[in-house]
């Protein structure tokens, strides 16, 4: 054991001992005097940045303003959202379809804003579903989930989605290695070393935003954790951190921490594209869902795709290299110039910083330290720019400003450390409350950081907020980085558990924000584009109600002729053409959520009545002074009844043979 590895070993023991919690001293330290002024956004004024924050196990994404920390919206992505009817309306259910059927939840960790020439462009934001591997694209015109693509040959889509500088690809590395989908997966778990493989996927994004899996690369059975695309000079490469190079399949806490170094995997995707073009990829039969929301029909479709192209590095020289990285790396981040790649070993005592120029030279000189499963391993010293010494305990993630500085989060020692990339000197450190995970600097992962702030996304709140029972809100903390020293400005609670977040100047999004759906563009097959088109039709045991909503009534508002055993479909068209006037729709006893229908849009609620009687329907969104009058009734009769289908608004003559009920 040399001195540095001894140091690592000692620090590792200390780190493991304190992994469970470490509260910084001076936890109640005061914020600087002008913090309130710096975060105060006067009523009616706009924030400077939008902040898109992952919701972790809430499966959603939330949108805050910075510097105020005000919550603007929760965007449902992988989880159903009864507030908006997402995943409950017939139109949105297909968004949550997978090869396993309907999966109404996921674990959303990472955010990737679209880029042009390495600069945020405000078109889309991508997010990963960890559990049932998926990538979603949210359209920033509407702040709605526009597309969800399942990832085959993957299990735990954690190393995802990280975007290339012209949004050519979002990448997806599997956290769990598994028997691949085209093999017989029914194998003993302890045959891990023979039968379990990893993959990284390159998901192409076309100019309209539409995603497709261009190719996958099969890898040794490690665990991929995070990734970053190269930029500038390193454009064309993606760097994936991985742990468990021991290929352990039990007690990873100990067994995956044996080796001094794990790896960062460097993938030359331009080379991979050449191999795909040259026919080197193997077509494999798999099954994965591809779900797309159509803005004109306001409905999603889900297709199961059956094929994927897989490259094996064994047949593709010069495509994949491993770079040793101390002790179970987590974060893997590339600086704005694209020259430096920062690895963050969770149990390491240093932060290694690699040089892209040196990586290229080491490859050219074949400066290898053997291979790992046939893939060349670059010599650590030959690719290293240097190590940040004594930075803190448990480095996780690094962001950058435009002035050559890096900001690294330390989970175990609960702090943010600012250091200079050129000479690796630590410049400043501030505590976080508590146990910070990701950091985010506006534009921090791009070629053009906007700087100004770093936001810490913390795992634990403890004593920071009013107690709310056994679980407390997770928390973000805003720090001013405009000076030499970082200054804490604000705490604000978050929805779900925040992992990564990205902030973007508001004007890049505001100018494109959509206000309504034009009623004349509405192609939903069940739309009623005016009260004259409102109707109720029976088709076998289905009753389709084409209902319009406008302040402050539904047309029709009285419906009869439904029989027990029928399925009733309420197709509600919101005829409003004004910004911010949705209507809601609910019916008593429905085993479903409400609908929330945007101006010009049609959404459908399916309802299977469970008893005869008269059931109220009403608008759930306070839309006008007479919102409370926006209501109606639907009558359900016995299966054999001869009540005909009738529907009306504003008429009160008896319809149908009601005498029988008198
Ligand atoms: Cu560090 Cu899932 Cu990005 Cu959370 S991960 S912190
Ligand atoms: Cu419509 Cu309330």
């Amino acid at each position: 054991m040399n001195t540095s590895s001894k140091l690592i070993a000692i620090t590792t023991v200390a780190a493991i001992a304190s992994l469970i919690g470490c509260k910084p001293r001076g936890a109640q330290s005061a914020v600087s005097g002008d913090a309130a002024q710096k975060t105060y956004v006067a009523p009616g004024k706009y924030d400077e940045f939008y902040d898109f924050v992952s919701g972790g196990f809430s499966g959603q994404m939330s949108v805050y303003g910075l510097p105020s920390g005000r919550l603007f919206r929760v965007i449902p992505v992988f989880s159903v959202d009864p507030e908006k009817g997402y995943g409950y309306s017939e139109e949105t259910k297909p968004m949550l379809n997978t090869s396993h059927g309907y999966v109404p939840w996921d674990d959303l960790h990472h955010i990737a804003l679209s880029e042009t020439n390495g600069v945020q462009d405000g078109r889309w934001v991508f997010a990963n579903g960890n559990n049932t591997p998926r990538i979603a694209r949210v359209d920033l015109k509407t702040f709605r989930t526009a597309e969800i693509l399942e990832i085959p040959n993957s299990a735990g889509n954690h190393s995802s989605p990280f975007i290339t500088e012209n949004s050519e690809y979002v990448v997806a590395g599997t956290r769990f290695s598994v028997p691949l989908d085209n093999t017989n997966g029914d194998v003993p778990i302890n045959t891990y070393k023979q039968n379990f493989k990893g993959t990284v996927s390159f998901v192409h994004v076309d100019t309209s935003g539409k995603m497709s899996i261009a190719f996958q690369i099969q890898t040794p059975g490690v665990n991929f954790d995070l990734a970053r695309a190269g930029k500038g000079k390193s454009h064309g490469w993606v760097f994936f951190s991985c742990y468990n190079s021991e290929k352990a399949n039990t007690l990873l806490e100990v067994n995956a921490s044996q080796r001094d170094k794990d790896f960062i995997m460097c993938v030359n995707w331009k080379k991979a594209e050449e191999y795909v073009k040259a026919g080197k990829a193997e077509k494999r039969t798999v099954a994965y869902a591809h779900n797309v929301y159509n803005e004109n029909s306001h409905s999603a479709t889900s297709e199961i795709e059956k094929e994927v192209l897989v490259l094996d590095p064994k047949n593709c020289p010069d495509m994949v290299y491993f770079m040793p990285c101390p002790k179970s790396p987590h974060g893997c981040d590339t600086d704005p110039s694209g020259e430096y790649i920062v690895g963050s070993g969770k149990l390491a005592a240093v932060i290694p910083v690699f040089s892209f120029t040196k990586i290229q030279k080491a490859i050219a000189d074949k400066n290898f330290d053997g291979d790992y499963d046939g893939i060349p391993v670059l010599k650590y010293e030959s690719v290293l720019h240097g190590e940040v010494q004594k930075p803190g305990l448990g480095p996780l993630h690094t962001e950058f400003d435009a002035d050559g500085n890096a900001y690294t989060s330390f989970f175990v020692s609960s702090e943010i450390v600012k250091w200079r990339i050129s000479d690796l000197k630590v410049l400043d450190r501030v505590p976080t409350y508590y146990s910070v995970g990701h950091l985010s600097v506006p534009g921090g992962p791009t070629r053009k950081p906007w700087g100004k702030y770093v936001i810490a996304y913390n795992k634990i709140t403890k004593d920071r907020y009013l107690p709310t029972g056994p679980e407390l809100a997770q928390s973000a903390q805003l720090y001013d980085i405009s000076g030499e020293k970082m200054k804490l400005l604000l705490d604000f609670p978050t929805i779900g558990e925040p992992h990564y977040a990205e902030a973007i100047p508001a004007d890049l999004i505001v100018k494109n924000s959509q206000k309504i759906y034009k009623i004349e563009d509405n192609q939903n097959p069940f739309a009623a584009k005016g009260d004259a088109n409102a109707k109720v039709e029976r088709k076998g045991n289905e009753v389709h109600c084409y209902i319009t909503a406008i302040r402050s009534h539904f047309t029709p508002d009285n419906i009869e002729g439904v029989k027990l055993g029928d399925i009733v479909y309420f197709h509600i068209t919101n005829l409003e053409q004004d910004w911010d006037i949705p209507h809601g729709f609910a019916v008593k006893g429905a085993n479903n959520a409400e609908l929330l229908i945007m101006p010009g849009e049609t959404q459908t609620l399916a309802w299977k009545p469970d008893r005869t009687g008269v059931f109220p329907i009403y608008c759930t969104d306070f839309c006008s002074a007479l919102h409370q009058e926006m209501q109606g009734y639907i009558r359900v009769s016995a299966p054999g009844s001869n009540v005909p289908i009738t529907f009306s608004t504003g008429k009160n003559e008896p319809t149908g043979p009601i005498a029988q009920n008198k």
Side-chain angles (χ1 to χ4, degrees):
M1 228 186 214
N2 61 29
T3 332
S4 82
S5 55
K6 231 180 246 159
L7 178 63
I8 289 167
I10 291 164
T11 320
T12 301
V13 172
I16 288 175
S18 57
L19 275 179
I20 300 145
C22 166
K23 196 162 150 177
R25 277 180 290 267
Q28 300 305 330
S29 67
V31 295
S32 56
D34 57 352
Q37 233 175 337
K38 285 190 164 153
T39 58
Y40 184 68
V41 177
K45 295 280 186 249
Y46 284 171
D47 277 277
E48 186 182 354
F49 294 99
Y50 281 98
D51 189 21
F52 294 90
V53 183
S54 59
F57 48 79
S58 82
Q60 296 166 335
M61 187 189 294
S62 45
V63 186
Y64 296 82
L66 295 178
S68 72
R70 296 181 296 185
L71 173 66
F72 297 143
R73 189 163 183 81
V74 175
I75 304 173
V77 181
F78 298 112
S79 294
V80 292
D81 183 353
E83 175 193 340
K84 303 173 185 77
Y86 180 81
Y88 293 94
S89 70
E90 295 307 297
E91 283 83 358
T92 54
K93 279 178 183 171
M95 290 302 284
L96 299 175
N97 192 40
T98 72
S99 63
H100 302 271
Y102 181 76
V103 179
W105 170 88
D106 219 302
D107 185 11
L108 188 162
H109 283 214
H110 303 126
I111 301 284
L113 282 167
S114 57
E115 294 177 20
T116 304
N117 297 323
V119 182
Q120 293 169 335
D121 59 27
R123 288 181 293 170
W124 314 297
V125 55
F126 297 86
N128 67 324
N130 244 321
N131 182 54
T132 305
R134 289 174 275 182
I135 291 184
R137 177 173 57 88
V138 171
D139 192 322
L140 292 178
K141 287 201 296 290
T142 58
F143 284 62
R144 283 183 153 183
T145 303
E147 188 176 6
I148 292 183
L149 180 67
E150 191 179 359
I151 309 290
N153 287 326
S154 175
N157 180 38
H158 191 263
S159 184
S160 163
F162 296 93
I163 196 158
T164 57
E165 69 176 26
N166 283 301
S167 306
E168 296 96 335
Y169 294 104
V170 286
V171 301
T174 186
R175 167 181 170 187
F176 296 95
S177 279
V178 282
L180 295 185
D181 293 357
N182 65 322
T183 64
N184 172 19
D186 179 14
V187 296
I189 296 167
N190 67 8
T191 63
Y192 186 104
K193 288 188 171 73
Q194 301 88 280
N195 291 324
F196 289 45
K197 295 284 173 228
T199 60
V200 294
S201 306
F202 283 73
V203 175
H204 177 64
V205 180
D206 76 12
T207 48
S208 70
K210 197 136 184 244
M211 300 186 283
S212 57
I213 301 178
F215 56 90
Q216 298 188 308
I217 297 174
Q218 181 175 319
T219 71
V222 296
N223 294 42
F224 289 101
D225 212 359
L226 277 300
R228 278 294 182 196
K231 47 191 114 146
K233 61 169 67 164
S234 55
H235 179 58
W237 290 73
V238 176
F239 306 93
F240 295 87
S241 61
C242 53
Y243 61 102
N244 195 20
S245 54
E246 296 84 353
K247 295 186 191 156
N249 65 281
T250 181
L251 266 183
L252 263 63
E253 185 183 15
V254 175
N255 294 333
S257 306
Q258 298 302 308
R259 289 168 58 119
D260 236 24
K261 294 198 172 60
D262 289 279
F263 298 118
I264 287 174
M265 185 173 87
C266 312
V267 175
N268 181 341
W269 58 257
K270 294 221 164 141
K271 203 66 184 193
E273 285 178 337
E274 288 170 20
Y275 284 125
V276 171
K277 267 204 201 102
K280 291 272 180 185
E282 188 192 333
K283 218 176 250 176
R284 292 198 191 155
T285 302
V286 290
Y288 59 101
H290 189 183
N291 312 329
V292 179
Y293 192 77
N294 181 312
E295 284 290 329
N296 293 319
S297 64
H298 314 135
S299 346
T301 49
S302 177
E303 279 171 36
I304 298 293
E305 307 214 18
K306 294 276 184 203
E307 253 172 21
V308 75
L309 293 173
V310 181
L311 291 168
D312 188 334
K314 285 195 184 80
N315 314 322
C316 306
D318 295 331
M319 181 177 71
V320 182
Y321 297 91
F322 281 115
M323 188 159 76
C325 186
K327 286 275 166 198
S328 305
H330 185 60
C332 170
D333 296 286
T334 51
D335 87 313
S337 73
E339 168 64 11
Y340 300 106
I341 300 111
V342 180
S344 292
K346 301 179 285 262
L347 305 177
V350 297
I351 303 175
V353 181
F354 302 96
S355 150
F356 182 71
T357 309
K358 288 187 175 177
I359 292 170
Q360 295 311 301
K361 183 157 192 311
I363 290 171
D365 297 349
K366 299 208 182 317
N367 210 341
F368 300 147
D369 208 353
D371 69 281
Y372 182 77
D373 282 16
I375 296 170
V377 176
L378 301 167
K379 254 203 190 94
Y380 182 67
E381 291 74 17
S382 70
V383 293
L384 193 69
H385 163 57
E387 294 171 339
V388 183
Q389 298 297 327
K390 300 212 180 115
L393 289 178
L396 289 189
H397 299 284
T398 300
E399 288 271 292
F400 304 92
D401 66 19
D403 307 316
N405 301 309
Y407 301 80
T408 301
S409 59
F410 288 83
F411 178 82
V412 177
S413 52
S414 262
E415 60 188 334
I416 305 172
V417 173
K418 176 183 178 181
W419 51 275
R420 192 158 45 217
I421 302 168
S422 57
D423 62 3
L424 306 165
K425 233 182 103 182
V426 171
L427 302 174
D428 189 25
R429 54 179 73 232
V430 285
T432 60
Y433 310 106
Y434 304 95
S435 302
V436 56
H438 277 273
L439 295 175
S440 157
V441 170
T446 72
R447 287 180 74 173
K448 189 175 178 184
W450 314 102
K452 251 183 145 160
Y453 305 107
V454 64
I455 305 101
Y457 294 94
N458 302 326
K459 302 299 176 194
I460 297 166
T461 329
K462 288 274 191 230
D463 49 8
R464 297 296 282 185
Y465 296 128
L466 288 174
T468 51
E471 197 198 6
L472 286 95
Q474 264 100 7
S475 166
Q477 292 188 289
L478 181 77
Y479 297 80
D480 182 350
I481 57 167
S482 56
E484 267 175 36
K485 298 280 168 197
M486 295 177 276
K487 284 191 196 133
L488 176 60
L489 298 177
L490 184 73
D491 280 16
F492 59 97
T494 62
I495 301 272
E497 185 187 57
H499 292 261
Y500 193 48
E502 265 198 70
I504 176 172
D507 53 9
L508 290 177
I509 289 181
V510 169
K511 60 182 183 205
N512 298 324
S513 197
Q514 187 163 329
K515 294 198 162 68
I516 59 160
Y517 294 95
K518 283 199 191 126
I519 192 79
E520 61 267 30
D521 295 342
N522 182 331
Q523 287 165 17
N524 187 306
F526 299 102
K529 296 191 190 181
D531 289 352
N533 303 316
K535 62 186 175 190
V536 177
E537 284 177 351
R538 171 174 290 285
K539 283 189 188 139
N541 72 336
E542 294 181 356
V543 176
H544 291 267
C545 309
Y546 299 74
I547 300 175
T548 61
I550 193 159
R551 283 163 288 178
S552 297
H553 61 272
F554 292 111
T555 303
D557 64 1
N558 284 316
I559 298 168
E560 303 193 10
V562 173
K563 293 174 198 160
L564 204 58
D566 289 343
I567 298 177
V568 182
Y569 292 94
F570 297 101
H571 309 290
I572 317 290
T573 301
N574 180 350
L575 296 177
E576 308 281 355
Q577 293 286 273
D578 281 343
W579 190 21
D580 197 25
I581 308 289
H583 291 287
F585 180 84
V587 58
K588 182 186 173 185
N591 302 133
N592 206 332
E594 65 160 3
L595 296 174
L596 191 65
I597 312 108
M598 297 305 124
E601 185 185 42
T602 303
Q603 291 284 289
T604 300
L605 191 84
W607 174 52
K608 200 164 190 302
D610 71 327
R611 62 193 74 171
T612 59
V614 171
F615 299 81
I617 58 174
Y618 76 102
C619 171
T620 54
D621 186 327
F622 211 110
C623 50
S624 75
L626 297 174
H627 151 81
Q628 206 66 350
E629 280 71 14
M630 198 165 172
Q631 65 170 54
Y633 294 102
I634 182 164
R635 175 184 171 190
V636 177
S637 303
S641 112
N642 58 354
V643 178
I645 292 278
T646 57
F647 54 95
S648 63
T649 303
K651 292 203 189 85
N652 236 356
E653 311 88 68
T655 55
I658 53 167
Q660 61 178 16
N661 284 356
K662 282 198 172 151

